[in-house]
C-alpha cells in the first residue's frame, strides 16, 4: 500500500490544500481501520481452535512419553484420570473464553 504522501511527492504544494489535507486525514483513518480489521480477522475462532488442538496434541504426546518412561524404568504409572479431567477442564475454559460452543 502506498503512503499517501508518496502520491503527492512531486507536487508538495498540493499538500497545503484543505481538500488534500482532509483526504489525507480520511486515508490515515482508513489505514488504521484496515490494521484493526486484519488483527480481528487473525484472531478468528478457527485459529483459536487450531491452537487448542495443538496444545491438546502436545499434552497427549507428553503423557505418552511419561508412560513410556514409567514402563521402561518400572515406575508407578501416572494418574490418567486426573490428566483427562485437567484436559477437559482446560478445553471447557478455553471454549468459554472464546465463545465456542459445540
Amino acid at each position: 500500500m502506498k503512503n499517501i504522501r508518496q502520491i503527492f511527492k512531486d507536487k508538495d504544494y498540493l499538500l497545503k490544500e484543505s481538500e488534500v489535507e482532509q483526504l489525507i486525514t480520511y486515508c490515515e483513518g482508513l489505514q488504521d481501520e484496515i490494521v484493526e480489521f486484519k488483527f480481528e480477522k487473525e484472531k478468528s475462532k478457527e485459529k483459536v481452535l487450531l491452537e487448542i488442538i495443538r496444545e491438546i496434541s502436545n499434552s497427549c504426546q507428553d503423557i505418552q512419553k511419561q508412560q513410556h518412561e514409567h514402563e521402561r524404568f518400572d515406575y508407578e504409572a501416572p494418574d490418567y484420570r486426573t490428566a483427562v479431567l485437567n484436559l477437559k477442564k482446560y478445553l471447557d475454559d478455553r471454549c468459554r473464553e472464546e465463545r465456542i460452543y459445540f
Side-chain angles (χ1 to χ4, degrees):
M1 180 184 287
K2 281 189 175 180
N3 183 334
I4 192 73
R5 301 206 184 275
Q6 289 175 339
I7 295 171
F8 294 103
K9 69 180 177 183
D10 295 332
K11 298 180 175 116
D12 287 336
Y13 63 92
L14 288 175
L15 291 173
K16 296 174 184 155
E17 296 291 327
S18 65
E19 291 87 1
V20 174
E21 288 177 358
Q22 290 175 358
L23 179 64
I24 290 172
T25 304
Y26 178 72
C27 287
E28 288 172 347
L30 287 178
Q31 287 174 343
D32 291 341
E33 287 181 27
I34 289 171
V35 169
E36 289 175 20
F37 177 73
K38 284 183 180 178
F39 176 75
E40 289 175 11
K41 186 178 176 184
E42 289 177 5
K43 190 67 175 162
S44 69
K45 289 186 180 191
E46 181 180 330
K47 289 192 179 199
V48 171
L49 287 172
L50 287 174
E51 179 184 337
I52 291 171
I53 290 170
R54 273 191 216 105
E55 290 178 8
I56 290 172
S57 176
N58 290 339
S59 295
C60 292
Q61 288 176 354
D62 290 343
I63 290 173
Q64 285 176 330
K65 278 185 193 176
Q66 287 178 357
Q67 176 65 30
H68 179 71
E69 288 178 5
H70 288 278
E71 289 172 359
R72 180 177 175 201
F73 297 111
D74 199 29
Y75 292 147
E76 185 178 326
D79 184 9
Y80 292 110
R81 182 170 192 254
T82 303
V84 170
L85 290 174
N86 288 338
L87 190 58
K88 175 144 178 41
K89 182 183 180 311
Y90 165 77
L91 183 59
D92 291 342
D93 290 343
R94 281 297 302 267
C95 288
R96 190 176 322 104
E97 289 171 6
E98 301 295 337
R99 296 184 188 121
I100 299 170
Y101 304 103
F102 51 93

